[in-house]
Amino acid sequence: MGERLKREIVDRQVGTRRVPREFYTRDTITVAQELIGKVLVHQPEPGRFLAGMIVETEAYLGVEDPAAHTFGGRKTARNQSMYLAGGHAYVYQIYGLHFCVNVVTRNRNEPEAVLIRALEPLHGLTDMANNRGSPLVPPLLQHLTAGPGRLCQALGLSRAQDGTDLVTSEKLFITDANKSRQKNFPVECGERIGIDFAGDAAIWPLRFAAKGHFCISKPFKPGSDVAFALQS
DNA sequence: ATGACGATTTACT
DNA sequence: GTAAATCGTCATA
């Protein structure tokens, strides 16, 4: 296959316009909502792309948010990436087994972030299935990237990617979808997942998703409203 | 140095 | 529905 054709296919499925710094340095809830429909891309080696459209996110509001790793201004070896400028990646390990990828928001030393919870696989599906490994898990689309741990495994993300600058890196970045793929998504919001420890914050409506999308990690409670229709 | 635990996933009853 | 897997991180000492 010619280089030109390859480029065209990648452009069509992945998109080429990279999201700029100014997108990320805004308030965290806005970024969490507007990341729905963008495309997360991992290029572990030149010309090899693993990419998926972001369909589910959660906002973590830093020092004021009991569910956030930086609650109360905590700064540790694990979470120091959250103190970088908006547009960097924060990847951490959980349960000794899985990784979760976040997009840092706001400015340096304003440690807030958006957790990427689910993708719709777009490019590199064979690689994703291989990364997911176990033949016991059928490489169905839903099982590939629905869930923060699953999507990191599928894309090959780990602590090695922690601190990556998504605005300048050739290996890990976010694009607007290709024009032909851009849609207006009705965005649903609701309670965040797996933070029962966080008291009142456990019911803050900081989880966002493309309503009814087949790659969402968990159903929303009935009554979750359409927050807005994304203009992208 | 030690102990409790987690922004999860999977298998099993 | 419940429980196991599995270990880095963090608070306490």
Side-chain angles (χ1 to χ4, degrees), chain A residues 161-181:
Chain A
Q161 282 73 39
D162 180 58
T164 301
D165 186 355
L166 302 170
V167 177
T168 60
S169 171
E170 293 299 318
K171 294 192 163 186
L172 186 62
F173 50 93
I174 295 176
T175 68
D176 290 326
N178 179 285
K179 256 234 160 68
S180 65
R181 199 177 269 283

Side-chain angles (χ1 to χ4, degrees), chain A residues 90-102 115-116 147-153 156-161:
Chain A
Y90 168 46
V91 186
Y92 69 92
Q93 188 176 26
I94 185 168
Y95 295 104
L97 296 169
H98 309 290
F99 295 95
C100 297
V101 62
N102 296 252
L115 172 67
I116 308 300
R150 288 171 174 172
L151 75 90
C152 280
Q153 188 181 24
L157 303 178
S158 70
R159 271 242 115 188
Q161 282 73 39

Side-chain angles (χ1 to χ4, degrees), chain A residues 3-232:
Chain A
E3 271 311 304
R4 184 189 176 123
L5 184 53
K6 240 190 248 176
R7 274 179 114 76
E8 196 175 312
I9 290 171
V10 169
D11 179 37
R12 178 158 303 190
Q13 298 186 329
V14 169
T16 49
R17 184 184 173 273
R18 197 186 286 229
V19 173
R21 181 80 60 200
E22 300 75 49
F23 177 92
Y24 300 108
T25 52
R26 299 174 300 163
D27 83 271
T28 305
I29 291 176
T30 300
V31 176
Q33 292 171 331
E34 296 192 7
L35 275 172
I36 305 295
K38 298 281 188 281
V39 178
L40 178 63
V41 187
H42 186 208
Q43 185 183 20
E45 56 196 68
R48 185 160 153 260
F49 294 93
L50 298 88
M53 183 177 69
I54 297 168
V55 297
E56 182 181 343
T57 63
E58 282 177 359
Y60 284 85
L61 305 183
V63 299
E64 309 260 292
D65 181 356
H69 290 164
T70 52
F71 177 54
R74 285 193 290 262
K75 189 172 190 177
T76 64
R78 174 177 66 163
N79 69 14
Q80 51 183 347
S81 293
M82 284 188 71
Y83 288 80
L84 298 172
H88 288 78
Y90 168 46
V91 186
Y92 69 92
Q93 188 176 26
I94 185 168
Y95 295 104
L97 296 169
H98 309 290
F99 295 95
C100 297
V101 62
N102 296 252
V103 173
V104 177
T105 58
R106 293 188 176 271
N107 300 304
R108 204 158 82 90
N109 294 324
E110 296 172 346
E112 304 189 17
V114 175
L115 172 67
I116 308 300
R117 282 197 59 89
L119 306 174
E120 175 189 331
L122 293 183
H123 192 95
L125 302 229
T126 306
D127 283 341
M128 290 187 198
N130 286 339
N131 286 342
R132 292 273 295 146
S134 170
L136 295 177
V137 180
L140 300 176
L141 233 40
Q142 295 98 307
H143 289 177
L144 229 38
T145 55
R150 288 171 174 172
L151 75 90
C152 280
Q153 188 181 24
L155 265 59
L157 303 178
S158 70
R159 271 242 115 188
Q161 282 73 39
D162 180 58
T164 301
D165 186 355
L166 302 170
V167 177
T168 60
S169 171
E170 293 299 318
K171 294 192 163 186
L172 186 62
F173 50 93
I174 295 176
T175 68
D176 290 326
N178 179 285
K179 256 234 160 68
S180 65
R181 199 177 269 283
Q182 289 179 11
K183 299 176 195 151
N184 292 347
F185 290 100
V187 172
E188 194 170 25
C189 77
E191 300 172 6
R192 291 174 293 181
I193 304 293
I195 53 158
D196 293 345
F197 62 85
D200 297 338
I203 64 167
W204 293 354
L206 296 179
R207 178 185 177 213
F208 305 94
K211 190 176 176 65
H213 195 282
F214 73 105
C215 291
I216 298 309
S217 66
K218 280 188 170 66
F220 281 74
K221 283 185 185 173
S224 299
D225 274 325
V226 173
F228 65 103
L230 180 65
Q231 190 72 29
S232 181

